[in-house]
Amino acid sequence: MTIKKIKSHCRHCGQETNHSILSEHSESSRDEYVYDRAYQVIECLGCETKSFRDVLEEIEHAYQIADDEWEIPTSITVYPRFIKNHRSLSGEYYLPSLVGEIYGEVLLALKEDALVLAGLGLRGTVEAVCNDLNIDGRNLEIRISKLASAGYISRKDAERLHGIRFMGNDAAHEIKRPDQVQLSVALKIVEHLLSSVYILEEEAQGKIDTLITEFEQFKELLGKKLNSFAIGDELPIIGFLGRDIRRVKDSLPALEAELIDAINKGEIKKLTKGKLDKYNNSKNDLQHYVLA
């Protein structure tokens, strides 16, 4: 049996690919309205993703384009609906619940060609990220700027996010319908934000050495390093961390201040404050800690 092959969009591959037709039902009308219609179950020959395809040929509206040639208007609808040339965000499961829900609704709006709602949703996704990160401010303009100043995004990223803000404002206040090109670019900007803030952060943990600026991360790293030392060992932080000191170098004064505060409060029991002394020919005296 010969397998019939067609070109169709694959939602998993994010592009037009070769498909095989697994099943097909056809119907026609030659009465009041003349048409041919085919309902097809198709499968991508690359990833094996299956879809449903509705092909309508409106013979009633055929028009002549040459002496012996006619053009038949044909509409093709593929289900589930898809966003053309878009691939699913890898690691979407790392997104916080509310952020993920709003992002999912944006994708649904784009698939259904609800462009005003999609514009509002993209702006709402940025708002949700700010809420999740506890970035405050009386309006989104200030909050986007604070995202950059807090180090979550770059200045260039902030400039692009302001474009999302403008588009969302136009959709909300002027009921201005953004076009597909604008929304395609805006979606890439928002997905870059989600990937940078949540997905890459999770995927990088434990796989590559990244800079540490948060005390909880510093405490976790220090705790692992202490396992290599014996009770009674007295060293400064640089001695305990070794080459990993490079990961906290710029933030060390603030992190060490938090460490001392936690030791004084009895929240950290593995270390006690020791002497102030030089270490490995250091210029200044360094605070030492005793492993308890």
Side-chain angles (χ1 to χ4, degrees):
M1 179 179 176
T2 303
I3 298 176
K4 188 176 178 181
K5 295 180 182 179
I6 58 168
K7 282 277 190 183
S8 186
H9 190 279
C10 174
R11 65 184 181 278
H12 180 77
C13 297
Q15 61 184 352
E16 292 269 320
T17 62
N18 290 318
H19 284 66
S20 62
I21 298 177
L22 302 180
S23 179
E24 183 173 26
H25 171 75
S26 299
E27 59 182 40
S28 301
S29 174
R30 297 295 183 268
D31 298 325
E32 293 182 4
Y33 189 80
V34 183
Y35 69 88
D36 288 334
R37 193 165 202 165
Y39 302 101
Q40 303 166 334
V41 177
I42 60 176
E43 180 181 68
C44 175
L45 293 175
C47 68
E48 299 184 346
T49 297
K50 295 169 182 62
S51 305
F52 182 80
R53 190 168 180 259
D54 178 2
V55 183
L56 174 62
E57 295 181 337
E58 298 183 89
I59 302 172
E60 183 83 16
H61 297 298
Y63 53 92
Q64 194 169 9
I65 58 175
D67 288 342
D68 298 316
E69 189 175 357
W70 290 74
E71 184 78 21
I72 300 175
T74 302
S75 59
I76 300 174
T77 308
V78 177
Y79 301 93
R81 301 294 287 270
F82 59 87
I83 302 169
K84 192 172 182 180
N85 298 322
H86 175 263
R87 300 195 71 166
S88 299
L89 189 62
S90 175
E92 188 178 338
Y93 43 83
Y94 288 128
L95 301 180
S97 178
L98 182 58
V99 174
E101 286 176 14
I102 297 175
Y103 168 67
E105 290 182 10
V106 168
L107 297 183
L108 182 60
L110 287 169
K111 290 173 184 176
E112 296 299 332
D113 205 33
L115 304 189
V116 173
L117 294 179
L120 290 169
L122 286 167
R123 186 188 191 282
T125 305
V126 178
E127 290 267 19
V129 171
C130 291
N131 289 344
D132 180 67
L133 298 176
N134 296 315
I135 303 295
D136 58 6
R138 68 177 183 273
N139 55 45
L140 187 56
E141 179 181 2
I142 293 173
R143 300 177 86 187
I144 288 173
S145 297
K146 284 188 175 182
L147 275 176
S149 61
Y152 289 108
I153 59 175
S154 69
R155 181 178 59 82
K156 277 292 183 185
D157 288 335
E159 291 174 1
R160 298 185 188 103
L161 287 178
H162 283 302
I164 305 294
R165 178 173 64 86
F166 297 148
M167 186 179 65
N169 289 347
D170 290 344
H173 304 305
E174 300 177 24
I175 318 300
K176 184 177 179 181
R177 191 174 193 260
D179 61 38
Q180 290 281 8
V181 175
Q182 288 176 312
L183 286 169
S184 177
V185 174
L187 179 60
K188 289 178 182 178
I189 293 170
V190 168
E191 288 182 332
H192 175 70
L193 170 68
L194 299 179
S195 182
S196 298
V197 173
Y198 299 111
I199 298 172
L200 290 178
E201 179 72 19
E202 289 292 335
E203 291 181 343
Q205 288 294 329
K207 298 180 180 66
I208 61 173
D209 290 341
T210 58
L211 291 179
I212 290 176
T213 57
E214 300 293 330
F215 181 65
E216 287 303 316
Q217 293 176 314
F218 170 69
K219 189 167 68 171
E220 182 181 353
L221 173 64
L222 182 59
K224 290 178 181 178
K225 290 292 184 177
L226 292 179
N227 292 330
S228 302
F229 295 88
I231 293 175
D233 285 348
E234 185 174 7
L235 295 166
I237 294 299
I238 187 173
F240 285 121
L241 293 187
R243 65 178 298 173
D244 279 321
I245 193 67
R246 62 186 179 175
R247 300 180 63 187
V248 300
K249 188 175 180 181
D250 294 336
S251 305
L252 186 57
L255 293 172
E256 191 163 8
E258 286 193 65
L259 175 65
I260 292 172
D261 185 55
I263 291 173
N264 291 337
K265 290 179 179 178
E267 296 171 356
I268 292 180
K269 303 185 184 302
K270 276 192 171 184
L271 292 175
T272 59
K273 285 179 65 178
K275 62 187 177 182
L276 273 172
D277 201 358
K278 291 183 172 52
Y279 178 77
N280 283 354
N281 300 317
S282 61
K283 291 182 180 179
N284 302 315
D285 289 342
L286 301 178
Q287 177 65 59
H288 285 54
Y289 302 87
V290 181
L291 183 59

